[in-house]
Amino acid sequence: MSIARLPECRSWRQRRSGLALSLLLLALAASPLRAQQQAYVGPLFDAHLHYNEEAQQPHPLADVLGRMQRSGVRAIVANSRPNDGTQTLAAAREATAAAGVRVVPFIRLYRNRADYNSWFADPSIYQMVLDELKRGTPAGPYRGIGEFHLYDSANADGPVARQLMQLAAERGLVVLAHVDDVAIDKLMTHAPQARLVWAHTGIGGTPVERVRALLQRYPALMGELSYRPGLTDGSGRLSADWRALLMQHSTRFMIGSDTWVNQRWQYYEGLMQEARAWLGDLPPEQARRIAWGNGAALFGVE
Ligand SMILES: [Zn+2]
């Protein structure tokens, strides 16, 4: 019986393996095509960019502008440690215009690495911010403060953190803060009218539900998405819960490169390409807002 059925079995197996092969070929053919078709192709607003002291020699102005231009980045939030890097970008009016990049300057709170851990209680930092505001930049007045870090959310209650939040609210400056969710509550309590951009939207992996609750609680809070754990799955596509959050609040998020070390400059184009890939998982109008429109609206860039 088994011998009699053998030819039939074999032919069925052959058919089955033929089908499997066809499906595999289809999948191989379709996956790069799918990624290519779906990637977001419009302009990008890099809402979290540093041009720090150590980046400027290996990546001079022409190099960083070339990377932005090749990536379709049309505007940047520029800040640096110390603020000279931002001044350099802001002063290069012709070069930035030629590259099609608008510079939105922010005041960084750090003169050096030591300032990362003490700025919130250091009155000389507040004075430096006032001096920088008075000085302005060749690209116009500073538009924001940050990025600053609070590794312990209790320091959000430090005197300088409080003063800077209130200054931001008074002068209409945007604040870019690398903090946890507890510090978001604290900073917003100091200045409920302040426009706060949450760098990384919780780099420690704040649960999506908590992010959603904070966005609903503070209408002026926005999230920048570099380094956000869980944003994408292993293949670089948006995870289901983040896709739902971004679709629900598509006016509240921006993308960023966070070029905090030179390696991030080295891979700048790749980082922007990764963003384009997951942006492609959103409806086109919402992708464009997160990629460009929200930053453009926040800073009045056309
Ligand atoms: Zn950063």
Side-chain angles (χ1 to χ4, degrees):
M1 197 170 80
S2 61
I3 291 170
R5 288 186 59 178
L6 198 60
E8 196 187 310
C9 288
R10 191 184 290 152
S11 81
W12 182 79
R13 267 199 219 106
Q14 280 169 342
R15 281 205 305 274
R16 190 179 58 171
S17 70
L19 182 68
L21 184 66
S22 315
L23 287 174
L24 179 68
L25 287 173
L26 259 177
L28 285 174
S31 56
L33 193 67
R34 180 175 164 266
Q36 220 170 32
Q37 277 175 342
Q38 288 194 342
Y40 167 79
V41 294
L44 295 177
F45 194 120
D46 183 348
H48 185 158
L49 181 142
H50 307 288
Y51 194 37
N52 290 332
E53 197 167 30
E54 65 274 11
Q56 294 168 30
Q57 190 271 323
H59 299 287
L61 206 61
D63 177 88
V64 295
L65 289 176
R67 288 171 192 274
M68 292 173 210
Q69 191 173 20
R70 288 193 294 279
S71 304
V73 170
R74 306 279 307 282
I76 56 169
V77 160
N79 70 103
S80 64
R81 162 184 41 78
N83 285 303
D84 311 35
T86 304
Q87 290 283 347
T88 301
L89 276 168
R93 302 301 302 275
E94 273 182 33
T96 52
V101 176
R102 298 283 294 272
V103 177
V104 177
F106 269 41
I107 303 176
R108 196 113 202 247
L109 307 184
Y110 308 145
R111 297 158 297 196
N112 49 54
R113 288 224 178 251
D115 284 338
Y116 281 63
N117 295 308
S118 55
W119 67 268
F120 41 83
D122 181 348
S124 72
I125 296 290
Y126 187 69
Q127 190 55 51
M128 178 191 74
V129 170
L130 293 178
D131 293 345
E132 281 293 326
L133 280 174
K134 204 176 287 177
R135 175 185 179 202
T137 84
Y142 282 106
R143 305 297 304 279
I145 297 171
E147 177 196 26
F148 63 66
H149 299 74
L150 289 168
Y151 300 114
D152 178 352
S153 53
N155 292 327
D157 287 329
V160 175
R162 186 187 303 261
Q163 276 177 307
L164 285 175
M165 286 304 294
Q166 290 165 355
L167 180 74
E170 277 164 28
R171 306 237 185 144
L173 299 167
V174 175
V175 175
L176 178 62
H178 172 133
V179 297
D180 66 11
D181 57 313
V182 176
I184 292 289
D185 276 319
K186 287 175 180 291
L187 293 173
M188 291 310 292
T189 303
H190 299 329
Q193 307 307 319
R195 293 180 298 168
L196 182 61
V197 176
W198 189 2
H200 321 295
T201 321
I203 201 166
T206 307
V208 171
E209 274 318 305
R210 172 76 168 136
V211 174
R212 181 178 277 114
L214 287 167
L215 289 171
Q216 281 162 359
R217 186 164 184 187
Y218 305 113
L221 177 66
M222 296 184 74
E224 178 275 319
L225 293 165
S226 62
Y227 282 109
R228 168 62 221 198
L231 177 71
T232 55
D233 61 21
S235 65
R237 319 304 303 209
L238 272 184
S239 64
D241 50 355
W242 271 94
R243 184 168 186 270
L245 181 66
L246 297 183
M247 285 177 66
Q248 184 188 354
H249 290 295
S250 66
T251 59
R252 310 287 295 277
F253 289 97
M254 296 183 284
I255 64 129
S257 60
D258 191 10
T259 46
W260 68 288
V261 285
N262 291 350
Q263 194 193 33
R264 299 283 284 185
W265 276 119
Q266 209 177 318
Y267 296 113
Y268 189 86
E269 290 100 318
L271 293 169
M272 294 296 104
Q273 209 46 56
E274 283 172 20
R276 288 184 180 281
W278 63 253
L279 284 163
D281 292 335
L282 292 165
E285 199 179 320
Q286 300 186 330
R288 192 180 165 93
R289 276 188 208 132
I290 294 169
W292 169 260
N294 296 337
L298 185 60
F299 299 106
V301 172
E302 283 151 22

